Amino acid sequence: MKKITLICAAGMSTSLMVTKMKEAAKKLGEEVEIRATSESKFKQYENDTDILLLGPQVGFLLNKYKQTYESKGMKVEVIDSIDYGMMNGEKVLKNALGL
Amino acid sequence: MNKSNFSEKLQRFALLMQSNRYLQAISNGLMSALPILMIGSFAVLLAVLPIAPWQTFIKTTGIQAILLIPYNIAIGCLALYVSFLVSYKLVESFEKEPVVPALVSVFCFLLVTPISIFEKQSAFLLSWFGVQGLFTALIVSLVAARLYIYVLDKNWTIKMPAGVPPTISNVFSGLIPAVIVGLFFLIIAGVFSHTHFKSFTQFIYTLVQTPLSSLGSNFISLFVIVLIQMILWFFGMHGSLVVSSIITAVYLPMDLQNLQAFSTGQPLPHILGQQFYNLYAGIGGAGGTLGLVILMLFIAKSKRLKTLGKLAIIPGCFTINEPVVFGVPMMFNPIMAIPFISVPLIQILVAYIVTYIGLVPPPAGVQVPFGVPVIVAGIMQGSWRIGLLQLVLIVLSLVIYYPFFKKLDDQSLKEELNAEKTNQQVQA
């Protein structure tokens, strides 16, 4: 089962996104575990994440996370800002699984 | 300078601010104290709630005095907690075992705090553990933690033979760093006791905290901070996150001074503060977009904007507006740039003026967590008039956003109609 973690500043708006993605996962019949957390708490989940998605508002942290985690086999990407704004859970989920 | 170049520079600035471990340690350390700050705040709020029968009741039963105890222990001793938490967070960022150095930092904070003597009894004045000692606590905890790490990295430690349980060897490995850090602050305490400041804490209070809070109480400072924040947001970066550590370090002490005055019924010393920023600088999220969301929800002709309005209204009431920033989108949007950046600036300006002339009281500095809905958050700052001011500012933002919203709506509607037309042509 793929484990996806979303991060933003406080984990607030990403938690909205997570709800939408979970709905999409159910509809598509995908077995995934999705969670949202704040940037400062991500360390807790570093060993429990296959795909790391950054909210576009913390996209400036992409290189920092890529450097730390890509070598460990984690996929790191920034969520497309329009998909994020429209809370398009299905598209974000599909893109994430396609990484 | 071209646009992408500027954007890159901003990105680097944001990353620099956000990845600065010292600023982060201060910010995360203070945030960890929030549960305790909240207990203290709510106790005060109950103790001074301006309802006559309640006041008579708590005064006659002696409950009021009891309610002020958690305030004194929670907010009145914040510096003491902070001296632990900030150094804990800093050591953690170096991926070292944080408990011992955090404790050493508390020890050092107490070392530099003056002991008063009353009729042969020696005592710490509670005031040094509160706002007056806060900056000392921040400085001591950062320096103590950093020095501890430095000594640890130099490997000047007592090595335990293999086979000793890690818990025990951890304690011993902390021994030499602890002694060195302790000695360092003992020397500082000794030196400053011979100056006319009498103590390091008094020195910091006079030399750093007082000028810093006068800088903080200057409206221009807040204006510039919010302007930087909004420019970052316009480029799609979380501006609020980037400036949060500065906001906390400068404005939280001012909140606490207000709360102290509030608990004793004195006039509140500061108009600005962290709660002022939370209440007025961006109602409904960065850019004060709640007014815009209301427009989208009720009068948008474009389907896309209407859907977004439905999606964004509830999070907006809780000051979350990423759907608006990225969905409208506000970022890189030349039509929306003017209101997006200017609305929060106008909102804080109006709030400042209205508070300055005394129509609305300053926020009492009650520490509430992020996510208390708009207007309720205002009322919790000690007066219904603050909630009303928030409401007025929402209406004001609605008016400012209106012409820009109209343009945006027309544009989106045209795009939608065009898309439909091409669809029909394809089908035909």
Side-chain angles (χ1 to χ4, degrees):
Chain A
M1 190 166 68
K2 292 266 187 200
K3 287 173 182 163
I4 307 177
T5 304
L6 276 70
I7 56 177
C8 66
M12 295 274 183
S13 65
T14 38
S15 64
L16 276 176
M17 190 74 231
V18 166
T19 320
K20 298 280 177 187
M21 286 171 73
K22 280 185 178 159
E23 280 168 21
K26 213 173 199 178
K27 212 178 86 189
L28 300 172
E30 293 281 358
E31 282 274 316
V32 282
E33 195 181 307
I34 314 171
R35 70 166 81 83
T37 183
S38 68
E39 202 269 317
S40 55
K41 291 206 181 103
F42 176 66
K43 266 209 161 336
Q44 262 170 266
Y45 303 110
E46 62 180 8
N47 294 321
D48 209 18
T49 301
D50 302 310
I51 303 167
L52 171 64
L53 297 177
L54 304 178
Q57 69 276 35
V58 292
F60 60 90
L61 299 171
L62 178 66
N63 281 335
K64 179 176 146 188
Y65 277 97
K66 274 200 162 170
Q67 274 165 19
T68 324
Y69 294 112
E70 253 181 358
S71 56
K72 295 177 188 163
M74 195 187 294
K75 301 253 177 19
V76 187
E77 205 43 75
V78 178
I79 302 170
D80 178 77
S81 61
I82 294 289
D83 291 342
Y84 195 72
M86 298 305 287
M87 292 283 150
N88 192 338
E90 192 174 322
K91 204 164 153 212
V92 173
L93 181 67
K94 277 183 181 162
N95 284 345
L97 293 175
L99 281 174
Chain B
M1 200 168 12
N2 68 41
K3 202 168 156 193
S4 69
N5 195 347
F6 182 62
S7 172
E8 251 170 51
K9 281 205 171 120
L10 270 181
Q11 286 221 355
R12 241 175 289 148
F13 166 74
L15 185 65
L16 201 73
M17 291 283 291
Q18 221 285 314
S19 312
N20 184 301
R21 58 170 103 224
Y22 301 96
L23 286 176
Q24 282 304 302
I26 291 178
S27 179
N28 293 337
L30 285 169
M31 248 194 288
S32 313
L34 191 65
I36 286 178
L37 286 177
M38 275 171 55
I39 298 174
S41 296
F42 287 116
V44 176
L45 208 55
L46 284 177
V48 299
L49 200 66
I51 299 170
W54 166 255
Q55 280 298 323
T56 351
F57 169 70
I58 59 171
K59 272 189 189 125
T60 48
T61 51
I63 290 176
Q64 191 178 39
I66 297 174
L67 280 172
L68 288 174
I69 296 173
Y71 164 74
N72 277 322
I73 302 300
I75 291 159
C77 296
L78 180 66
L80 195 60
Y81 307 133
V82 161
S83 67
F84 184 88
L85 293 170
V86 169
S87 86
Y88 188 100
K89 291 288 174 191
L90 184 62
V91 176
E92 207 178 42
S93 80
F94 282 96
E95 300 184 359
K96 296 275 179 356
E97 191 54 49
V99 175
V100 177
L103 191 63
V104 170
S105 152
V106 176
F107 170 71
C108 294
F109 173 66
L110 293 176
L111 268 186
V112 298
T113 305
I115 295 176
S116 311
I117 296 172
F118 302 96
E119 298 167 8
K120 292 180 191 162
Q121 301 271 357
S122 38
F124 281 121
L125 287 181
L126 209 49
S127 57
W128 289 123
F129 288 171
V131 194
Q132 279 190 38
L134 191 56
F135 267 82
T136 310
L138 292 177
I139 293 167
V140 169
S141 54
L142 292 179
V143 173
R146 189 61 191 89
L147 187 60
Y148 188 97
I149 298 281
Y150 176 80
V151 177
L152 214 56
D153 283 347
K154 283 274 166 200
N155 256 331
W156 302 338
T157 53
I158 300 174
K159 299 277 178 335
M160 284 285 122
V164 174
T167 340
I168 294 175
S169 66
N170 269 342
V171 171
F172 278 95
S173 73
L175 198 58
I176 290 182
V179 169
I180 291 177
V181 174
L183 203 60
F184 176 74
F185 279 99
L186 187 63
I187 293 169
I188 288 186
V191 168
F192 278 92
S193 69
H194 285 90
T195 63
H196 72 277
F197 292 108
K198 296 279 181 242
S199 72
F200 180 67
T201 313
Q202 178 68 54
F203 169 75
I204 293 295
Y205 185 63
T206 320
L207 243 78
V208 182
Q209 189 153 4
T210 318
L212 202 61
S213 62
S214 64
L215 184 74
S217 48
N218 183 336
F219 179 74
I220 303 292
S221 320
L222 185 65
F223 192 87
V224 171
I225 292 175
V226 175
L227 181 65
I228 293 174
Q229 173 189 339
M230 290 321 300
I231 291 174
L232 286 165
W233 268 117
F234 181 72
F235 284 91
M237 283 170 258
H238 201 299
S240 326
L241 178 70
V242 174
V243 302
S244 69
S245 37
I246 292 178
I247 291 281
T248 317
V250 176
Y251 291 104
L252 182 68
M254 291 163 64
D255 266 4
L256 301 182
Q257 280 165 351
N258 271 10
L259 196 57
Q260 193 166 20
F262 187 67
S263 72
T264 52
Q266 307 281 321
L268 305 180
H270 304 292
I271 294 177
L272 301 179
Q274 195 177 17
Q275 291 306 323
F276 181 94
Y277 167 83
N278 287 351
L279 286 178
Y280 303 127
I283 299 174
T289 53
L290 195 55
L292 176 66
V293 174
I294 294 170
L295 289 173
M296 294 197 298
L297 182 62
F298 290 107
I299 62 168
K301 292 197 192 77
S302 145
K303 270 185 207 143
R304 188 178 69 90
L305 291 183
K306 191 146 191 128
T307 316
L308 196 58
K310 276 184 208 154
L311 189 72
I313 187 74
I314 293 170
C317 293
F318 293 87
T319 355
I320 296 167
N321 73 337
E322 275 85 351
V324 184
V325 175
F326 300 109
V328 169
M330 306 297 270
M331 61 184 281
F332 294 116
N333 185 337
I335 304 175
M336 299 312 272
I338 296 169
F340 186 53
I341 294 174
S342 67
V343 162
L345 295 173
I346 294 169
Q347 285 176 329
I348 55 170
L349 182 65
V350 171
Y352 185 80
I353 293 170
V354 170
T355 313
Y356 186 79
I357 59 176
L359 281 179
V360 169
V366 173
Q367 298 300 304
V368 292
F370 178 77
V372 175
V374 181
I375 299 171
V376 177
I379 297 167
M380 280 169 74
Q381 289 306 323
S383 165
W384 59 269
R385 283 185 287 173
I386 296 178
L388 183 65
L389 176 56
Q390 281 197 307
L391 188 64
V392 171
L393 291 174
I394 293 170
V395 175
L396 179 69
S397 73
L398 195 143
V399 172
I400 302 172
Y401 269 116
Y402 183 76
F404 302 94
F405 162 78
K406 276 314 270 181
K407 202 164 171 205
L408 183 77
D409 193 34
D410 287 347
Q411 203 183 46
S412 307
L413 191 65
K414 220 180 275 167
E415 279 165 20
E416 279 165 31
L417 290 177
N418 279 342
E420 248 168 64
K421 242 184 246 163
T422 31
N423 253 349
Q424 280 166 355
Q425 278 166 355
V426 170
Q427 277 167 2

